């Protein structure tokens, strides 16, 4: 983001400040009901922002960015939807369809907003956001599987685990079960395909506009390769 011009950089910082705020709520130690209440307050704040009357500091900065770069309201609300999925003490992705929805809400939406700020046309920006967003989020899932399992959040689809012979319970992932590496292998293949799709799309965009997503992809591809090769450093 530091490589962007000042106005676009401020807009990106505003979007990421919002993302950080709602992510901290979802990952916090408050009861689920309290988390959902706080996330709903942000949903109401997004409504106010788009009516031109924000009440928070982040909202005031977002209003300027939204007006300047025509950022979509639905994307901000979708991010909150994703945080609501993460808010319960226990959560497991049920199938590949739900995994796609989750990735869209917590990652692809951010890509769509970021691409708009970068000046990337929606026609190519939205497919790029989907491919790269899914690649990044699937990498996060593979990278953080142990940490997520300890807090009873399982992002490996339940139906895929069962198909691979998983015999563990649903509350905490049994990492040593043979079905887990088999399922991770499938998720890894999906992530690699998404990285390849994103790379093709990036070649169609001018270098200057594509520089931020190129950097994100380069960083996350290193994470991905580390995970695939059995390394744990982030």
């Amino acid at each position: 983001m530091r490589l962007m011009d000042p106005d676009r950089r401020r807009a990106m910082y505003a979007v990421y400040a919002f993302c950080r705020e709602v992510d901290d709520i979802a990952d916090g130690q408050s009861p689920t009901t309290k988390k959902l209440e706080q996330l709903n307050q942000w949903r109401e704040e997004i409504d106010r922002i788009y009516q031109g009357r924000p009440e928070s500091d982040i909202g005031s900065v977002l209003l300027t960015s939204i007006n300047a770069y025509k950022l979509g309201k639905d994307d901000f609300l979708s991010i909150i939807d994703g945080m609501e999925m993460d808010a319960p003490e226990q959560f497991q992705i049920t199938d590949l369809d739900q995994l796609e929805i989750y990735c869209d809400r917590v990652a692809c939406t951010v890509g769509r907003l970021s691409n708009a700020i970068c000046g990337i046309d929606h026609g190519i920006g939205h497919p790029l956001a989907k491919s790269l967003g899914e690649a990044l989020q699937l990498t996060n899932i593979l990278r953080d599987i142990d940490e997520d399992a300890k807090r009873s959040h399982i992002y490996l689809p339940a139906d895929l685990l069962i198909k691979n012979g998983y015999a563990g319970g649903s509350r905490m992932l049994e990492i040593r079960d043979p079905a887990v590496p088999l399922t991770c292998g499938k998720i890894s293949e999906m992530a690699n395909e998404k990285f390849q799709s994103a790379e093709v799309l990036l070649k169609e965009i001018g270098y200057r506009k594509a520089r931020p997503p190129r950097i994100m992809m380069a960083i996350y591809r290193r994470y991905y390769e580390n995970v695939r090769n059995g390394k744990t450093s982030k």
Side-chain angles (χ1 to χ4, degrees):
M1 288 186 283
R2 289 195 298 269
L3 297 175
M4 304 175 77
D5 68 64
D7 289 340
R8 295 183 192 275
R9 184 168 64 243
R10 279 192 291 270
M12 288 289 288
Y13 283 154
V15 169
Y16 272 82
F18 163 76
C19 292
R20 181 77 272 160
E21 190 77 14
V22 294
D23 188 61
D24 285 347
I25 292 171
D27 288 345
Q29 300 300 314
S30 299
T32 301
T33 53
K34 180 64 173 178
K35 293 180 183 181
L36 295 177
E37 177 185 334
Q38 292 174 318
L39 290 170
N40 190 59
Q41 289 171 358
W42 267 107
R43 193 180 297 278
E44 293 171 350
E45 175 68 345
I46 293 298
D47 284 338
R48 288 191 293 268
I49 292 170
Y50 277 85
Q51 294 168 11
R53 49 184 187 86
E55 294 183 359
S56 64
D57 291 339
I58 292 175
S60 296
V61 181
L62 275 177
L63 176 59
T64 301
S65 304
I66 287 166
N67 290 336
Y69 302 106
K70 311 302 181 189
L71 305 183
K73 179 181 179 180
D74 287 347
D75 286 327
F76 288 104
L77 295 177
S78 186
I79 291 169
I80 296 174
D81 290 340
M83 296 305 104
E84 288 176 344
M85 292 175 74
D86 262 331
E89 292 183 8
Q90 182 180 356
F91 173 62
Q92 179 166 19
I93 294 288
T94 57
D95 52 33
L96 288 174
D97 287 341
Q98 189 182 39
L99 178 61
E100 184 177 4
I101 291 170
Y102 178 77
C103 288
D104 185 79
R105 290 175 175 177
V106 303
C108 304
T109 48
V110 183
R112 290 194 288 270
L113 293 168
S114 301
N115 289 341
I117 293 170
C118 289
I120 299 173
D121 180 78
H122 287 179
I124 192 168
H126 283 10
L128 173 62
K130 178 174 175 57
S131 294
L132 187 54
E134 289 183 2
L136 268 54
Q137 192 59 35
L138 294 175
T139 297
N140 282 339
I141 288 170
L142 293 170
R143 185 189 66 182
D144 300 334
I145 187 169
D146 290 346
E147 180 181 328
D148 290 333
K150 289 176 183 177
R151 60 189 188 94
S152 298
H153 278 58
I154 305 171
Y155 299 98
L156 300 179
D159 65 342
L160 194 55
L161 283 166
I162 293 170
K163 180 181 178 181
N164 287 325
Y166 184 63
S170 61
R171 181 166 182 82
M172 182 176 289
L173 187 67
E174 297 291 342
I175 300 294
R176 289 187 293 271
D177 191 295
V180 172
L182 288 174
T183 305
C184 286
K186 172 62 176 177
I187 300 301
S188 177
E189 290 174 7
M190 292 168 56
N192 190 45
E193 290 173 1
K194 296 300 180 179
F195 275 124
Q196 291 176 358
S197 297
E199 189 170 22
V200 171
L201 291 167
L202 283 168
K203 290 178 180 177
E204 299 181 33
I205 304 170
Y207 177 77
R208 184 174 181 82
K209 287 183 179 180
R211 190 162 49 176
R214 282 182 184 278
I215 291 171
M216 286 293 289
M217 187 171 75
I219 292 170
Y220 265 81
R221 256 190 162 160
R222 286 200 295 270
Y223 291 157
Y224 170 75
E225 292 298 335
N226 283 344
V227 172
R228 192 168 70 169
N229 294 325
K231 300 176 182 178
T232 57
S233 60
K234 297 183 181 182

